[in-house]
Amino acid sequence: MPLSARMLVIVFLAMPLLEPAAQEPKVFPLPDERYKTDILLVVAHPDDEGAATPYLARALDEHKRIAVVFGTRGSSGANEAGAEQAAALGAVREIEARNALTTLGITNVWFLGGKDTASQNVLQSLANWDHGASLEQLVRLVRLTRPEVILTFLPGTFIGEDHGDHQASGVLATEAFDLTGDPTSFPEQLAGPSKRLEPFLENLRPWQPKKIYYFPDADREDIFRGKGPEYSVKEISKSSKQPYWRMALDSFRAHQTQAKSFLDRIAQMDEAQVEKLATADGGWTDALHFVLGKSLVGGSVTGDVFDDITPGGISFARPDVSPEPARPDLSVELGGPYSFYAEFRRAHGLTNLPHPEPPEIALQAPGTLVIPLWIRNRTAKTQEITLSAVLPAGWTAQSGTGRFTVAAKQVAAARIEVILPTLAENGGKKSEPQEISVHAESNGRSIGEPKLRVELRKRALPQ
Ligand SMILES: [Zn+2]
């Protein structure tokens, strides 16, 4: 036995018999505080953050922590700054968005990797974004950033830009709001590795955000008034001594690919000229209106976003699903995004969310309007249905009208296609939306009359 070992034996024998020493408690690691946020903004494209930047600047003055998630890198947009297009443009626009947000002081920014989809149809965007993978990543980011409040586009269809990607960001954010606190949704994110070589489990914790607010991508404002708080953008920031709209414009300077000519123009102007242009052009100085989606902590509809929010987590709240509406045994209704949104509002406890009735859309003319329909036959026999469209003068139903049979207990998908007329030159005035309807009859009696308001435009995103 070497000397040192012999010494140890002697020391050991010399020690009195002790109780086993009390173990020091081990400290579990806590979530990374650098990523904790108060507000998580979820939008679709680089530059969409502009819909909220004056509010974000105000919230930063109040020491709120903010993170941003973009659904896409905006690779289908235009490029005013260079030759780059498609994926290359997406790479450029990612940096533009990061720079725009860094100007405000926001650096926690993620991209879901959805593909920029030029359409007004949210279902096209969700499909093209790989809905499941995007949702999984957004749920992960909400659990990582633990926002008190989610701020996003209002999920719905409207006369406006009505970009399907904007809608998709609102759909995903709403889904995430209802999933992230549920320990059974994406549970692999919540499990922790218990031994070596389990590098797939993430050790996140469920997190239930407290409120979700929306901003609409619609031209009309009437149906959103009084549905949430309003913030002036003309107030002066404590930190920058500038009005919030001016900080938003400074942040927007990063988006050269989207607005180089506009940005070059304002770069030549003095402050008074900038303010005049901003007030006249693009509504930089208009107040911001949010729509309260839901609050799990109370507070009034039009009160401040952070009213009744206190630090600490709250329990998971499963959304209140409203009952399915009663339908007659034989019925017809609008399909596509229109029926999706009716179901979506019902499933997520958002039945008070403002939406136009009848549903509305702005379309490019000349062009084609597609009216998607669901025809439900819950009777025990095959039914004959006659579809006809009631259209303004000059609009013609090209296909999808006439007589059809729907088998017993079947739900049939139908679509009526309408050729839209060339837009009349009317001295630059906007054309008024037209109401169109579909007559559906069976055995000489009406089984439904779905309606749609359609505004014709020189330019609009495809339906
Ligand atoms: Zn956008």
Side-chain angles (χ1 to χ4, degrees):
M1 197 183 284
L3 183 65
S4 60
R6 221 180 304 153
M7 292 283 287
L8 274 176
V9 169
I10 291 162
V11 168
F12 179 77
L13 289 174
M15 276 169 66
L17 283 175
L18 290 175
E19 299 276 312
Q23 258 193 356
E24 279 295 312
K26 291 195 181 75
V27 177
F28 287 117
L30 291 169
D32 191 331
E33 276 304 303
R34 293 172 301 168
Y35 296 94
K36 168 76 180 107
T37 64
D38 297 300
I39 301 169
L40 182 67
L41 177 73
V42 182
V43 288
H45 311 117
D47 83 1
D48 287 346
E49 80 285 353
T53 39
Y55 174 73
L56 300 183
R58 168 195 296 266
L60 289 164
D61 267 357
E62 291 161 8
H63 308 292
K64 302 292 188 240
R65 296 156 292 181
I66 300 171
V68 181
V69 174
F70 291 94
T72 79
R73 291 181 170 78
S75 58
S76 300
N79 186 355
E80 286 190 25
E84 295 75 12
Q85 295 291 327
L89 174 60
V92 171
R93 293 190 69 188
E94 172 175 346
I95 301 301
E96 288 182 342
R98 290 186 186 282
N99 288 342
L101 289 162
T102 303
T103 306
L104 294 171
I106 300 167
T107 52
N108 289 345
V109 177
W110 290 274
F111 292 78
L112 299 180
K115 291 195 186 71
D116 190 343
T117 312
S119 139
Q120 294 186 58
N121 186 339
V122 66
L123 305 176
Q124 300 273 6
S125 293
L126 289 169
N128 207 22
W129 284 24
D130 196 345
H131 188 168
S134 290
L135 180 60
E136 180 185 5
Q137 175 67 349
L138 184 57
V139 166
R140 176 178 290 118
L141 293 172
V142 172
R143 286 170 169 168
L144 173 66
T145 57
R146 295 167 285 140
E148 306 295 317
V149 174
I150 291 180
L151 195 54
T152 187
F153 277 108
L154 194 146
T157 63
F158 302 97
I159 291 174
E161 185 185 7
D162 200 34
H163 203 301
D165 288 344
H166 296 177
Q167 299 173 48
S169 67
V171 166
L172 285 169
T174 306
E175 290 174 335
F177 184 93
D178 286 345
L179 285 175
T180 50
D182 180 353
T184 65
S185 80
F186 302 105
E188 65 282 4
Q189 295 180 357
L190 305 173
S194 56
K195 52 185 185 291
R196 237 168 55 77
L197 302 179
E198 281 183 348
F200 311 112
L201 306 177
E202 302 181 32
N203 211 21
L204 291 166
R205 294 291 170 269
W207 178 261
Q208 176 62 66
K210 292 165 186 156
K211 296 186 184 181
I212 182 165
Y213 285 91
Y214 300 113
F215 39 88
D217 189 19
D219 285 354
R220 67 192 297 177
E221 291 180 339
D222 55 325
I223 62 172
F224 308 112
R225 284 284 154 88
K227 304 287 185 185
E230 178 184 321
Y231 293 96
S232 161
V233 304
K234 293 180 179 166
E235 284 169 34
I236 305 297
S237 160
K238 280 176 272 180
S239 58
S240 76
K241 316 289 182 227
Q242 284 192 315
Y244 290 118
W245 71 264
R246 192 70 183 76
M247 294 173 74
L249 184 58
D250 264 346
S251 162
F252 185 73
R253 284 179 202 274
H255 294 293
Q256 290 284 325
T257 60
Q258 301 309 293
K260 186 170 189 307
S261 49
F262 169 73
L263 294 168
D264 284 351
R265 210 150 34 105
I266 60 168
Q268 305 299 319
M269 293 178 178
D270 63 30
E271 270 309 303
Q273 288 170 317
V274 169
E275 181 162 0
K276 196 170 163 211
L277 178 88
T279 309
D281 175 22
W284 283 93
T285 51
D286 290 349
L288 289 186
H289 297 272
F290 297 136
V291 172
L292 175 63
K294 47 187 167 179
S295 166
L296 304 178
V297 294
S300 71
V301 170
T302 54
D304 183 71
V305 165
F306 281 89
D307 275 1
D308 289 63
I309 288 183
T310 51
I314 58 168
S315 315
F316 167 54
R318 210 170 281 284
D320 293 327
V321 180
S322 321
E324 199 175 334
R327 292 186 177 97
D329 280 351
L330 198 54
S331 67
V332 61
E333 61 193 60
L334 290 174
Y338 309 108
S339 59
F340 161 67
Y341 276 124
E343 290 295 305
F344 178 82
R345 288 190 292 267
R346 203 168 69 70
H348 290 281
L350 294 170
T351 42
N352 291 325
L353 199 64
H355 57 278
E357 208 51 70
E360 59 180 32
I361 189 166
L363 291 176
Q364 189 160 318
T368 308
L369 159 69
V370 176
I371 310 168
L373 298 165
W374 288 119
I375 302 167
R376 291 185 165 82
N377 176 12
R378 288 192 179 134
T379 72
K381 59 180 189 138
T382 298
Q383 300 286 348
E384 191 170 279
I385 314 281
T386 306
L387 296 177
S388 57
V390 183
L391 302 170
W395 301 34
T396 38
Q398 183 190 35
S399 63
T401 55
R403 276 161 45 169
F404 302 87
T405 58
V406 185
K409 307 286 181 196
Q410 291 296 307
V411 179
R415 48 185 275 146
I416 295 176
E417 292 195 11
V418 176
I419 305 293
L420 303 171
T422 304
L423 202 51
E425 293 295 337
N426 54 359
K429 272 192 295 182
K430 262 178 63 180
S431 79
E432 285 298 310
Q434 307 274 335
E435 187 167 296
I436 60 151
S437 60
V438 174
H439 265 310
E441 260 182 35
S442 181
N443 290 319
R445 66 181 183 86
S446 169
I447 61 160
E449 184 139 351
K451 290 181 169 43
L452 204 51
R453 278 172 81 241
V454 182
E455 184 181 299
L456 301 186
R457 292 185 170 181
K458 286 229 173 66
R459 286 182 64 149
L461 280 170
Q463 186 181 4

